[in-house]
Amino acid sequence: MENLVLAATNSTPRVDFDATTGVISLAGESYPENAFEFYRPLLAWVRGLLAARDGAVTAEIALSYLNTSSIKSVMDLLDLLDAAHRGGRQVAVYWRYEEDNERAREMIEEFREEVTLPFFIVPQAG
Amino acid sequence: MNLFELKERLQGEGILICFSGPFGHGIVEELGTAVKRYLEAAETRKSAIIDVFSVYIEAAQNVRNYSDRRRAAGAPAGELDENIVVIARRDEHYLVHAGNVVDDADVADLASRLDRLARLDKAELKALYKEQMRRERAPGAGAGLGLIEMARRATAPMAYTFTPTVTGQAFFSLCIVI
């Protein structure tokens, strides 16, 4: 399975999905013209990863701002991981944010409220 | 037209950024970057920067997506050009305004959605947001979260008007105070 790597743009995050290590990273801001189009191949890739191998999957997320259609797509991504976790897979989410960014923290907490998988919110010095 | 007078008028209204005309994603992005730079220089509260940026993005993308749907439905190009987005400062508050022509068929629904949002407190808005986030998205539609997101960031109920245009259509004008 190929890795999925995309450079960041003004309105899309850097994507680094590694099929060998099972680490999927997203970093930056996300408010593309069509978030559903942007996230569709990412979701398909993660589905493929979960089907292709049994190992642990770790999401390393550092998204600081998401528009609402990106929120919906990232929720879909977390739902996929949550379903895998409930199916017995080792899955964890680490979501980093700058510690003085209260709004980012609230957004991340609202995501965490929606899932049962291990979900760590990691403040970092701004 | 005297541009100096126009500029004075914009300044007098506290307008930081204003774009009037047809806009695509490139302009939404460019204005967004300009807004953020301005706020990062003028504003120390990080949450205020994100609130204004978020409301601006949702408002501008709503206008843009609605224009796209009307274009696909065969609306005349002239009407689609009548888009405007404004970011202003008044005392301790920021204001985001967005305006566009809407179809008569959409007026009542839009007004009732905004009236409903205006009656909800922050906890109720959060609950509604979560409920909408969990709803299946209709094909071709957005997430349906934009107005709720704006209402959550707003410090007062969102104000709106519908003004008849010369061609008899409704010009929708929305104001969000942050």
Side-chain angles (χ1 to χ4, degrees):
Chain A
M1 188 173 176
E2 298 272 317
N3 294 343
L4 178 62
V5 180
L6 300 171
T9 70
N10 264 347
S11 59
T12 57
R14 184 178 61 79
V15 177
D16 192 348
F17 289 4
D18 190 317
T20 314
T21 60
V23 175
I24 59 175
S25 332
L26 289 168
E29 298 191 333
S30 180
Y31 54 101
E33 177 165 31
N34 190 330
F36 304 109
E37 292 294 325
F38 178 79
Y39 283 95
R40 184 174 299 138
L42 275 58
L43 292 165
W45 192 96
V46 171
R47 267 188 216 101
L49 176 78
L50 293 169
R53 61 194 283 284
D54 290 326
V57 177
T58 308
E60 295 272 1
I61 305 179
L63 295 168
S64 56
Y65 167 71
L66 300 163
N67 71 345
T68 52
S69 40
S70 297
I71 293 258
K72 180 103 175 154
S73 295
V74 169
M75 193 66 249
D76 290 343
L77 174 68
L78 293 175
D79 282 342
L80 276 180
L81 298 178
D82 205 36
H85 164 72
R86 288 196 307 271
R89 172 97 52 155
Q90 193 184 332
V91 183
V93 174
Y94 295 85
W95 196 317
R96 289 167 217 288
Y97 74 104
E98 288 183 14
E99 60 189 353
D100 60 343
N101 191 343
E102 193 53 35
R103 283 293 181 272
R105 184 178 179 96
E106 287 165 9
M107 171 186 77
I108 303 163
E109 281 172 353
E110 288 188 9
F111 276 120
R112 186 164 68 177
E113 289 164 11
E114 295 293 313
V115 291
T116 57
L117 54 75
F119 191 131
F120 304 95
I121 301 179
V122 189
Q124 295 196 307
Chain B
M1 180 180 62
N2 185 315
L3 273 189
F4 181 73
E5 282 171 12
L6 178 61
K7 188 192 78 71
E8 289 288 291
R9 172 96 201 274
L10 293 172
Q11 249 167 18
E13 297 273 352
I15 290 173
L16 307 170
I17 288 176
C18 171
F19 187 89
S20 171
F23 54 83
H25 180 68
I27 287 174
V28 172
E29 222 179 80
E30 283 295 324
L31 291 181
T33 305
V35 174
K36 214 187 293 171
R37 288 220 180 97
Y38 171 86
L39 292 171
E40 279 164 0
E43 183 57 69
T44 50
R45 299 165 299 169
K46 214 161 208 167
S47 56
I49 300 175
I50 294 193
D51 287 346
V52 175
F53 185 71
S54 177
V55 168
Y56 155 76
I57 289 287
E58 297 300 328
Q61 290 187 332
N62 262 0
V63 168
R64 169 150 172 67
N65 294 339
Y66 189 78
S67 281
D68 276 358
R69 286 205 296 279
R70 292 189 79 231
R71 183 179 295 111
E79 286 172 14
L80 300 169
D81 295 348
E82 292 187 42
N83 296 334
I84 184 164
V85 56
V86 170
I87 299 160
R89 172 140 207 187
R90 189 196 291 154
D91 306 322
E92 287 309 297
H93 291 285
Y94 291 95
L95 290 82
V96 175
H97 303 258
N100 60 304
V101 172
V102 298
D103 287 322
D104 287 343
D106 295 329
V107 170
D109 178 56
L110 187 53
S112 79
R113 284 173 65 198
L114 287 164
D115 291 342
R116 181 184 176 207
L117 292 176
R119 286 192 297 270
L120 302 180
D121 64 24
K122 293 294 177 202
E124 291 166 328
L125 286 169
K126 179 180 173 182
L128 180 66
Y129 184 90
K130 291 245 175 161
E131 188 190 316
Q132 182 64 33
M133 190 162 87
R134 287 308 192 178
R135 194 164 288 168
E136 253 338 280
R137 187 172 70 92
L145 289 167
L147 288 179
I148 311 172
E149 165 73 12
M150 288 187 250
R152 293 186 73 188
R153 308 278 179 177
T155 55
M158 295 189 286
Y160 67 91
T161 54
F162 292 99
T163 310
T165 67
V166 283
T167 54
Q169 293 209 270
F171 186 83
F172 171 60
S173 173
L174 180 65
C175 173
I176 306 104
V177 181
I178 299 140

